[in-house]
Amino acid sequence: MKEFFHKYKHVWILSYGLVYLTWFFHLERTVTKGYHVIHVRLDDYIPFEEIFIVPYLLWFAYVTAAVLYLFFTNKEEYYRLCIYLFSGMTISLIICTFYHNGTDFRPVLDADKNIFTQLVRRLYIADTPTNVFPSIHVYNSICTHVAISRSEHLRRYPAIQWSSFTLMVLICMATVFLKQHSVIDVLGGCIMAYILYYVVYGYGYGLERKKASPKILG
C-alpha cells in the first residue's frame, strides 16, 4: 500500500469526494421546504420513460472509469479532468447553498410495472427532488466525454469516441425523461461545462487539440 501511494501520489485529489459528499448530503437534509421550484412549460411535454434509468445509472461507471483510466495512464489528463469535474461540482454546491431549488413534477410510480420502474422508485427514495440546478449528471457527463475525446491515447479509437458521445447524450436525456431535472437544469449544466472548459483547458489548448482529434464533438 505504501508503494502504491508513493507511485501514485496524484491520488490525493480524489479526497475531494469526501468534501463533496458531506456538503451535498447536508443540503439534502436541510433543503426540504421553501425552495424555488424550477419548472418550465417544456418540461410538461417531455414524457416519463423509465427505460432511461439505464443510462442514468451508467453515469456512475462512466465517470469513474474515465477518471481511473487517466489516473493510471496519463497524470496530466487525469488532473485536468479532476479539476474540470470538481470545479463545476463545487460551483453547483455553492449555487444550491444560496439558491435553494428543486422540482415538482415527479410522477406517481407503479413499482410493479417492471424492473425499470422499481429502479426509478429506489432512485427517488435515495435522491430528493432538491438541489437540482445546475444538473451535475449533465455537467459531469460532458466533462467526461471531453476528457475522453481529448485523450492522447483514446482519441485514436473512433468506436470509443462515438460510444462515449452516445452515452453522454443518453445520460443528459435521462435527466429529463426520468423527471429528475428540468430542461433549465440541463441548460445550466451545459453552460457551466462550456465556460469551465476554457478555464481548465484554455482556448489555445482547445484549438490545438481540435486539429489533431477526430471530429466527434462537432
Side-chain angles (χ1 to χ4, degrees):
M1 184 65 70
K2 184 178 180 180
E3 183 178 343
F4 174 87
F5 283 107
H6 179 73
K7 182 178 181 181
Y8 299 106
K9 295 179 181 177
H10 47 292
V11 72
W12 70 269
I13 199 172
L14 296 182
S15 61
Y16 170 81
L18 297 176
V19 176
Y20 176 82
L21 290 175
T22 301
W23 193 347
F24 175 77
F25 284 119
H26 169 72
L27 290 174
E28 288 285 279
R29 290 193 306 269
T30 57
V31 181
T32 57
K33 58 183 179 179
Y35 52 82
H36 180 259
V37 175
I38 299 178
H39 188 167
V40 294
R41 183 172 297 181
L42 180 57
D43 295 321
D44 299 327
Y45 290 98
I46 299 174
F48 171 78
E49 298 291 346
E50 67 268 18
I51 189 65
F52 276 96
I53 189 64
V54 176
Y56 191 90
L57 294 179
L58 283 176
W59 172 84
F60 296 96
Y62 180 51
V63 176
T64 301
V67 171
L68 289 178
Y69 176 81
L70 296 180
F71 175 85
F72 288 109
T73 61
N74 192 308
K75 186 160 65 174
E76 178 188 350
E77 292 177 355
Y78 159 79
Y79 271 126
R80 286 187 183 275
L81 174 56
C82 286
I83 293 171
Y84 197 11
L85 290 170
F86 301 161
S87 57
M89 291 162 70
T90 302
I91 291 173
S92 176
L93 289 173
I94 293 173
I95 291 174
C96 291
T97 298
F98 294 100
Y99 167 54
H100 295 172
N101 59 82
T103 60
D104 63 351
F105 43 63
R106 283 183 172 183
V108 176
L109 296 176
D110 177 7
D112 296 326
K113 180 180 178 181
N114 54 48
I115 183 63
F116 305 116
T117 54
Q118 292 176 23
L119 290 172
V120 175
R121 179 176 177 274
R122 293 182 182 181
L123 171 65
Y124 283 0
I125 293 173
D127 189 11
T128 70
T130 59
N131 308 307
V132 296
F133 179 84
S135 170
I136 287 300
H137 249 67
V138 169
Y139 175 78
N140 281 0
S141 297
I142 295 173
C143 293
T144 300
H145 177 63
V146 167
I148 291 173
S149 68
R150 297 302 186 189
S151 167
E152 297 225 2
H153 181 69
L154 295 179
R155 67 186 182 189
R156 303 171 190 170
Y157 302 97
I160 293 178
Q161 298 290 308
W162 279 111
S163 296
S164 173
F165 178 77
T166 301
L167 182 55
M168 176 196 70
V169 171
L170 288 174
I171 292 171
C172 293
M173 292 174 61
T175 63
V176 292
F177 278 100
L178 292 180
K179 299 301 179 178
Q180 278 288 89
H181 287 278
S182 165
V183 293
I184 297 298
D185 306 329
V186 174
L187 181 61
C190 291
I191 291 173
M192 187 165 68
Y194 179 82
I195 294 173
L196 289 180
Y197 171 82
Y198 290 105
V199 174
V200 175
Y201 289 91
Y203 184 70
Y205 181 89
L207 289 178
E208 179 184 346
R209 294 289 179 145
K210 189 173 183 179
K211 292 179 182 177
S213 62
K215 296 182 179 179
I216 298 299
L217 290 173

